[in-house]
Amino acid sequence: MEGFVQFAQNTVKAVSEIISFPISVSNEKGYILGDTDPTRFGTLHKPSIEVINANEVILFTAEKASRMENVLPGVAVPLNFDGRPVGVLGIIGDPIEVESYAHLVKKYVEMMWQETLHLQVENLESMTLESFVQYILLNRSVNQEQLNHYCKLLHIKANCNRICITIDIGDSFLKNVQNKHHTIAPNRFKKALLDCVVRAFDNDPQNVCAFLNTERIVFLKYVNGEDGYFQFMEEFRNRSLHLLEMFQVYNIHNAIVASGNIASSIEDMDQSYRESDSIINYGNKLDLTPKILTYYDWDILLEMLPNHIDAKMGRMLVQRLRPLLHNEAYPVLKRDFLTYCINNMNVSKAAKELFIHRNTLIYRLKKIDIITGLDTGRFDHCTLLCFALKEDGNVSQQSDYKN
């Protein structure tokens, strides 16, 4: 069985810490692959073959052992895996004394074996999922045959609606595993974080959850059409908050959770991922706590919209707003105007928030009207100016370039 040599040696080390008797582990062909006495490693132990064939405990008295080659007094018990004997555990000593340990140690070793195999399978599945998400999310085009192979291997449908949720944890994973006080093995730590994501966002068998790299986890969430999408997005913030709370336990405090839009197939998931990546990059510029970002959030869309004014429109805005941008009072006028917009164009509320007299604010708004030719009493004019001023860094750069 693959990995038996390493398992046999680990078994000898683990069991030796529990009982004081020397032990050995042989494979189904009778060769010793682990022994308290390293000189016996690799030697043939013929009675092990007898134990395998009989699939039962055999005692070896001192008299019986003396007549056999490479045999010591003690007890030999078969190690079973998947219902058949695949190895032999030998406990060396007075058979009467060590026999009482035989069945207990046998169960312990078989449980160790099952756990070892389980971890190997888990790690293999984790590596397969990571390769899969890297393949579909980081490539603009994918091979259909390869994609179908992955879907079949992972038992997921290629053509159903999903959204990509990206959780950015920065360097938290690396810092945690490099911390000398960190007691969880890296693979176990990864699994713990993935379990948190699944608990927060749902464990539907059509979901896919994996590390994209050490800084990002992706969760490809299955949704049942647009109605399912809208229902899930209504719950998205609360689910994300729950995830961030669970992450606190693992010393992860500054994670960002973002979702892309709905995609109709696995093949199109790269677009949903790029959307989540884009909103993360934009969200890093915002003073938001916690950072839970989605295009479903109107406030986020309003923040992002000015950033998507195209170059042609940008040049026209620069031309019309240059007198305002170059006015010495611009910083104050900008602050007061945006506060006026935030307060729903209510002069009294805005003035109170700015700690200035109502007439002072009216005077400054009139000044903006005169400089720009806009009417700050009109909602549509305020909307246009508000978008432009929120991106005044870009507008100013274009203005400087034109000059």
Side-chain angles (χ1 to χ4, degrees):
M1 194 175 176
E2 189 177 352
F4 191 89
V5 175
Q6 183 178 3
F7 172 77
Q9 294 170 354
N10 291 340
T11 297
V12 169
K13 181 179 179 181
V15 175
S16 295
E17 294 174 355
I18 300 173
I19 62 175
S20 59
F21 301 103
I23 63 169
S24 67
V25 176
S26 307
N27 65 11
E28 57 187 337
K29 294 182 179 179
Y31 287 95
I32 297 175
L33 301 182
D35 198 294
T36 310
D37 179 1
T39 62
R40 301 183 73 203
F41 181 81
T43 61
L44 180 62
H45 187 262
K46 290 183 178 180
S48 290
I49 301 175
E50 181 184 350
V51 175
I52 290 285
N53 291 334
N55 194 21
E56 60 182 24
V57 177
I58 297 180
L59 305 181
F60 295 92
T61 62
E63 181 182 353
K64 183 177 180 179
S66 66
R67 298 195 299 268
M68 306 174 74
E69 183 180 355
N70 194 30
V71 177
L72 298 172
V75 176
V77 296
L79 296 174
N80 290 280
F81 188 78
D82 282 344
R84 67 181 186 88
V86 293
V88 175
L89 172 72
I91 305 177
I92 302 166
D94 184 341
I96 297 176
E97 188 176 356
V98 300
E99 185 180 8
S100 58
Y101 293 93
H103 293 286
L104 179 62
V105 175
K106 167 184 165 68
K107 291 294 183 185
Y108 171 74
V109 172
E110 289 172 347
M111 287 175 59
M112 278 183 57
W113 202 337
Q114 291 283 355
E115 178 66 15
T116 299
L117 182 67
H118 178 68
L119 290 176
Q120 289 175 347
V121 171
E122 262 189 5
N123 292 339
L124 180 60
E125 289 176 347
S126 175
M127 291 170 61
T128 302
L129 279 173
E130 289 177 13
S131 297
F132 173 63
V133 298
Q134 289 165 4
Y135 181 67
I136 63 170
L137 300 183
L138 303 182
N139 291 293
R140 291 299 179 98
S141 61
V142 296
N143 179 278
Q144 193 63 47
E145 185 177 346
Q146 180 74 3
L147 183 63
N148 291 338
H149 171 73
Y150 268 123
C151 290
K152 184 177 181 180
L153 183 66
L154 298 171
H155 306 291
I156 61 173
K157 298 176 183 177
N159 297 312
C160 63
N161 297 309
R162 292 183 178 86
I163 58 174
C164 180
I165 300 170
T166 302
I167 302 101
D168 193 306
I169 60 173
D171 59 359
S172 296
F173 178 82
L174 290 177
K175 280 185 176 179
N176 272 275
V177 298
Q178 291 171 356
N179 186 338
K180 64 180 180 180
H181 300 298
H182 188 76
T183 57
I184 308 176
N187 285 338
R188 284 293 192 184
F189 187 46
K190 288 175 73 171
K191 186 178 184 304
L193 298 184
L194 294 175
D195 286 345
C196 289
V197 175
V198 171
R199 288 202 301 273
F201 292 121
D202 186 25
N203 63 349
D204 189 285
Q206 289 302 315
N207 295 335
V208 176
C209 186
F211 270 79
L212 185 65
N213 51 48
T214 58
E215 296 184 352
R216 284 190 174 180
I217 300 169
V218 290
F219 187 79
L220 311 185
K221 171 74 175 74
Y222 165 75
V223 291
N224 186 16
E226 287 195 350
D227 289 343
Y229 167 71
F230 289 131
Q231 181 180 347
F232 176 75
M233 294 313 300
E234 288 290 338
E235 303 168 353
F236 181 73
R237 181 172 178 81
N238 287 336
R239 288 175 178 266
S240 297
L241 288 171
H242 180 47
L243 173 63
L244 296 178
E245 287 176 2
M246 289 189 283
F247 273 5
Q248 298 282 333
V249 175
Y250 298 97
N251 201 32
I252 297 176
H253 304 290
N254 297 306
I256 303 173
V257 186
S259 74
N261 288 310
I262 190 171
S264 60
S265 70
I266 281 289
E267 193 172 356
D268 297 328
M269 285 307 302
D270 63 310
Q271 176 63 31
S272 186
Y273 170 70
R274 288 197 300 273
E275 289 166 350
S276 67
D277 177 64
S278 175
I279 201 172
I280 285 174
N281 292 332
Y282 188 79
N284 282 326
K285 304 173 187 176
L286 303 177
D287 186 22
L288 293 177
T289 304
K291 280 189 167 59
I292 299 172
L293 310 167
T294 168
Y295 297 96
Y296 192 78
D297 188 326
W298 282 115
D299 291 333
I300 295 294
L301 284 177
L302 285 170
E303 287 287 347
M304 294 183 72
L305 189 57
N307 196 43
H308 289 75
I309 297 174
D310 65 22
K312 183 178 179 180
M313 178 61 74
R315 286 192 296 271
M316 287 189 282
L317 287 172
V318 165
Q319 185 179 24
R320 292 296 286 114
L321 293 178
R322 186 180 294 127
L324 178 62
L325 295 171
H326 289 191
N327 189 285
E328 62 181 8
Y330 171 65
V332 173
L333 295 177
K334 173 189 174 183
R335 180 203 65 191
D336 292 359
F337 173 74
L338 291 179
T339 304
Y340 167 68
C341 290
I342 291 170
N343 283 277
N344 300 315
M345 300 171 62
N346 185 304
V347 173
S348 298
K349 288 183 178 180
K352 184 177 181 181
E353 184 173 325
L354 290 164
F355 298 103
I356 60 175
H357 194 276
R358 185 176 184 276
N359 290 340
T360 301
L361 179 57
I362 292 174
Y363 168 78
R364 290 173 181 172
L365 293 174
K366 289 288 186 183
K367 187 171 183 178
I368 292 173
D369 291 349
I370 294 169
I371 294 172
T372 64
L374 292 167
D375 181 355
T376 53
R378 285 180 54 175
F379 176 79
D380 52 350
H381 283 203
C382 284
T383 300
L384 178 62
L385 184 57
C386 181
F387 284 163
L389 295 189
K390 281 190 173 183
E391 287 299 309
D392 68 341
N394 293 336
V395 172
S396 297
Q397 288 175 13
Q398 294 179 52
S399 176
D400 294 341
Y401 176 77
K402 294 294 286 184
N403 288 336

